[in-house]
Amino acid sequence: MTSPPPTPSGLPLVGHTVGFAADPFGFVADLLADHGVEDAVGLDVVGMDDLYVLAHPDHVERAFVTDRDSVVKGGEFEAAFGDAVIAAEGAEWRRQRDELEPFFRWERVDEYAPAMRRQAERRLRTWPDSGTLSLESEMKAVTLDIIFDTILGRELDLDGDERIRAAADGLNGRFAPASWVLPSWVPTPSRRRFDRADRALREEVRELVETADEASLTRRLANALGSDADYPTTVESLENQLVGMIFAGHETTALALTYALYLLATDPETRERAAAEVDRVVGDGPVTADATRALPVLERVIKEALRLYPPVHTLPRETAKPFSTGDRVIPAGTDVHLSVIRIHRDERWYDDPLAFRPERWDDETDRPAYAYLPFGAGPRSCLGRAFALTEAKIVLATVLRDFELDWGGDGELAIAPEMTTQPKGETPLVVRRR
């Protein structure tokens, strides 16, 4: 019988629990470096069954492309988001994907560009002419403004709707590392925060069903209820979908923007090149959909920020059948984490992988196809990719058009993993209006 990848011994009774909960990124990187066989290593964590971390493009290709029936999302996503597309599997996932995809195609996203621009400009008008602001908070605010205006069909109050904003932030708590190492029934503080956030957003969704703009996805799904449409068939399914989109559609893009602006603020040369490009293409005018296609420097900045700080740092799955990592085989029914951040920071695929070098994307090198996967891979790659990239370009170009930037923090920005890659500590951005 073929054995699974090695699981190094840890502390008595608790195994790897303490190290993993304290520093998941560093602990896993060290395990892979010291004990990984075929870029896979086992974790021994209290409260969880066997868990393996996989960190090679070939594992990603196998899991999401060539043998995608070999893994499933597992129960934690379903517990959080019910039957939403973010958690659904098989035929149910395909049915939902077919219904939702038209709202996220490139041509449809172009139609959202004016609203994205309007929300970005509205938010930036509240920034001081000269001062320091919380970068993470501002990016979360603007991306939530955008998804509500474009997809959900309601404009949030610029300085209000605090209950909704707090609830949107609370969704990420479901997946805090301290909760990963405990059974799903344990009511940790982060899980209780998620439950409160989920209830608040479902109340908002029920109101939106009555008031949302006719062109919005909310209205489209609400109109399908009670009709002959295949989806949705229940109010609960509609709520699951929209709450899942609030989680997936604002948190990850806000983080991408946070890290991109942090990197620009700490790299004057790249910042000046990007700002000069925006001045040349946009000038004092609006950032249009056409303009976003004429900003190659900014596009490379975004691509490199997503490599160095992928908002989704790992893709948690469960094996549906034995999963080969080469000569080793992980049994069916086992939790696996496909580590995006370890692949993105692997020196085999990227020279000087911890350096911010947007110019590395000027000429594509001969690296594996799945050595870059900020939006996942295969048929189940991120539904909102076009939406997120267009939104990121519009927000970044608008910021660079209107402001000079500096970093107000001491030293390098640290990161901490929840379900998404979170900044650790404050994110002070110093701005001066141009």
Side-chain angles (χ1 to χ4, degrees), residues 96-110:
Q96 292 185 36
R97 180 89 177 202
D98 290 345
E99 288 288 334
L100 299 171
E101 197 163 28
F103 286 85
F104 296 95
R105 292 173 181 156
W106 285 104
E107 59 269 22
R108 185 63 182 270
V109 170
D110 279 356

Side-chain angles (χ1 to χ4, degrees), residues 273-283 286-302 389-390 392-398 400:
R273 285 203 307 273
E277 178 181 73
V278 170
D279 288 346
R280 184 175 65 255
V281 174
V282 176
V287 184
T288 64
D290 287 341
T292 65
R293 290 184 276 271
L295 298 169
V297 173
L298 196 58
E299 183 167 334
R300 289 192 290 272
V301 166
I302 294 169
L389 289 174
T390 300
K393 286 183 184 178
I394 288 174
V395 173
L396 289 175
T398 305
L400 291 172

Side-chain angles (χ1 to χ4, degrees), residues 5 17 30 33 51 58 67 82 101 114 138 140 142 188 205 222 228 234 254 280 291 311 354 386 403 406 422 431:
T17 304
D30 290 343
L51 168 64
D58 290 349
D67 191 16
E101 197 163 28
E138 289 299 309
K140 284 185 176 181
V142 73
T188 65
V205 165
D228 294 331
T234 67
R280 184 175 65 255
L354 298 183
F403 288 92
D406 282 304
Q422 295 290 315
V431 298

Side-chain angles (χ1 to χ4, degrees), residues 83 202 205-206 209 225-226 231-242:
D83 62 350
R202 286 177 186 276
V205 165
R206 286 191 284 273
V209 167
L225 283 171
Y231 180 84
T233 57
T234 67
V235 172
E236 183 180 10
S237 289
L238 186 153
E239 292 176 3
N240 290 341
Q241 196 66 264
L242 296 181

Side-chain angles (χ1 to χ4, degrees), residues 20 23-30 313 341-342 415-417 420-422:
F20 179 66
D23 180 18
F25 285 145
F27 187 80
V28 168
D30 290 343
H313 58 86
I341 196 167
R342 293 314 315 154
I415 54 176
T420 48
T421 309
Q422 295 290 315

Side-chain angles (χ1 to χ4, degrees), residues 80-81 171 194 197-198 201-202 205 238-248:
F81 301 112
L171 291 178
F194 173 89
D198 184 64
L201 289 173
R202 286 177 186 276
V205 165
L238 186 153
E239 292 176 3
N240 290 341
Q241 196 66 264
L242 296 181
V243 170
M245 284 192 174
I246 292 169
F247 169 75

Side-chain angles (χ1 to χ4, degrees), residues 169-356:
D169 287 344
L171 291 178
N172 194 53
R174 173 95 193 182
F175 305 94
S179 293
W180 295 353
V181 301
L182 294 171
S184 59
W185 52 265
V186 176
T188 65
S190 60
R191 286 171 178 163
R192 289 197 297 269
R193 188 169 76 249
F194 173 89
D195 290 340
R196 291 193 298 270
D198 184 64
R199 287 193 297 271
L201 289 173
R202 286 177 186 276
E203 290 177 13
E204 174 64 18
V205 165
R206 286 191 284 273
E207 292 183 16
L208 281 174
V209 167
E210 304 297 330
T211 62
D213 181 86
E214 285 297 325
S216 68
L217 176 60
T218 300
R219 175 55 54 203
R220 163 70 182 82
L221 295 177
N223 289 343
L225 283 171
S227 71
D228 294 331
D230 288 338
Y231 180 84
T233 57
T234 67
V235 172
E236 183 180 10
S237 289
L238 186 153
E239 292 176 3
N240 290 341
Q241 196 66 264
L242 296 181
V243 170
M245 284 192 174
I246 292 169
F247 169 75
H250 111 278
E251 170 86 8
T252 53
T253 308
L255 290 168
L257 286 164
T258 296
Y259 295 123
L261 284 167
Y262 157 71
L263 291 165
L264 286 170
T266 55
D267 186 336
E269 184 178 343
T270 301
R271 181 175 69 245
E272 289 172 9
R273 285 203 307 273
E277 178 181 73
V278 170
D279 288 346
R280 184 175 65 255
V281 174
V282 176
D284 295 329
V287 184
T288 64
D290 287 341
T292 65
R293 290 184 276 271
L295 298 169
V297 173
L298 196 58
E299 183 167 334
R300 289 192 290 272
V301 166
I302 294 169
K303 194 168 186 177
E304 179 71 345
L306 289 172
R307 181 197 68 82
L308 194 53
Y309 295 100
V312 177
H313 58 86
T314 193
L315 299 169
R317 294 294 188 270
E318 180 182 317
T319 55
K321 59 184 182 181
F323 186 92
S324 170
T325 60
D327 293 332
R328 304 296 182 106
V329 176
I330 298 172
T334 304
D335 290 328
V336 295
H337 284 187
L338 292 114
S339 180
V340 176
I341 196 167
R342 293 314 315 154
I343 293 172
H344 280 194
R345 294 183 172 195
D346 193 320
E347 62 185 7
R348 290 175 293 179
W349 324 128
Y350 300 97
D351 294 335
D352 197 6
L354 298 183
F356 174 58

